[in-house]
Amino acid sequence: MPDKDVYPEPPSRTPAHNSQSNPLDPVPILISVFNYVVDSPVTAFHDWMERQRANRKIYYYHQEFRRVPDLSQCLEDDHLCQFEADAQWRRDFLVDKEIINIIRDRFTACRAREGPSADQNCAELKEQYAQVCKGYQARYQDLGYFGTARKCLMKQKERLMQERKAAAQAQD
């Protein structure tokens, strides 16, 4: 703490506040009217609602969806099954995206923590991240923004057909 005798404070450049106010000044009157008319009833109602809410605790849980059949197991004219399969595919897509984000965050945190020796110490996470990205790209890469379960199934079918053609050509 500096010594005030050695380093005196510079004089303040702001004028001193005049505590005497005009009795006809409308600002304090409006503030008190607002407090009594609007703020006090709203605060009282809020406090009453908080007391009511404290009496009845509401517990929130994660919504758990049951697994539905895959689109390949639905009949052609069963539109409800197809809709449920598409909704299941969207949920799986979001879960897979979150898995990639979590593994990427772990990998980047490891790289930041380890510094120059990250290539050696984070090799396992790097390999895991590469495998997860490869699986994600194999399943969702060319579907676009409006990807659906049907498009994903057709993509998997085309990839399976290409693998079978390659295996057949390799045997010949």
Side-chain angles (χ1 to χ4, degrees):
M1 180 118 186
D3 188 10
K4 291 192 179 215
D5 295 334
V6 177
Y7 302 106
E9 290 185 21
S12 175
R13 293 186 177 169
T14 58
H17 178 67
N18 184 4
S19 62
Q20 297 176 352
S21 64
N22 187 0
L24 300 176
D25 189 15
V27 174
I29 296 171
L30 289 175
I31 289 174
S32 63
V33 166
F34 176 79
N35 284 339
Y36 286 116
V37 173
V38 177
D39 190 39
S40 295
V42 169
T43 304
F45 179 72
H46 177 266
D47 293 342
W48 180 77
M49 287 297 292
E50 286 297 319
R51 284 193 304 273
Q52 299 302 317
R53 191 174 294 139
N55 293 340
R56 291 182 283 118
K57 293 255 184 211
I58 299 173
Y59 297 100
Y60 295 98
Y61 297 100
H62 293 290
Q63 185 175 2
E64 293 183 16
F65 296 98
R66 63 179 177 83
R67 295 295 294 187
V68 296
D70 192 34
L71 188 64
S72 61
Q73 299 168 349
C74 294
L75 300 175
E76 275 187 48
D77 58 345
D78 191 1
H79 299 291
L80 182 61
C81 179
Q82 292 173 5
F83 176 78
E84 287 180 342
D86 198 38
Q88 179 71 51
W89 180 85
R90 274 191 232 107
R91 288 191 295 270
D92 290 343
F93 174 70
L94 292 175
V95 167
D96 290 344
K97 268 175 53 173
E98 282 301 314
I99 288 171
I100 285 194
N101 289 339
I102 289 169
I103 293 176
R104 183 183 59 234
D105 290 346
R106 287 180 185 170
F107 178 60
T108 54
C110 180
R111 287 184 60 95
R113 182 179 59 243
E114 297 297 331
S117 61
D119 292 336
Q120 179 182 4
N121 295 340
C122 301
E124 183 178 313
L125 282 173
K126 184 177 182 180
E127 179 64 30
Q128 183 183 18
Y129 181 61
Q131 288 176 354
V132 169
C133 285
K134 184 178 176 184
Y136 182 84
Q137 287 176 352
R139 186 167 183 192
Y140 302 112
Q141 185 175 19
D142 295 327
L143 296 180
Y145 182 75
F146 298 104
T148 60
R150 183 172 301 281
K151 285 182 182 179
C152 186
L153 184 65
M154 292 301 119
K155 181 181 174 198
Q156 290 174 355
K157 183 177 116 180
E158 288 173 9
R159 190 177 69 231
L160 181 65
M161 289 171 45
Q162 288 175 355
E163 288 175 2
R164 286 185 180 174
K165 278 183 185 179
Q169 287 176 358
Q171 289 180 355
D172 290 342

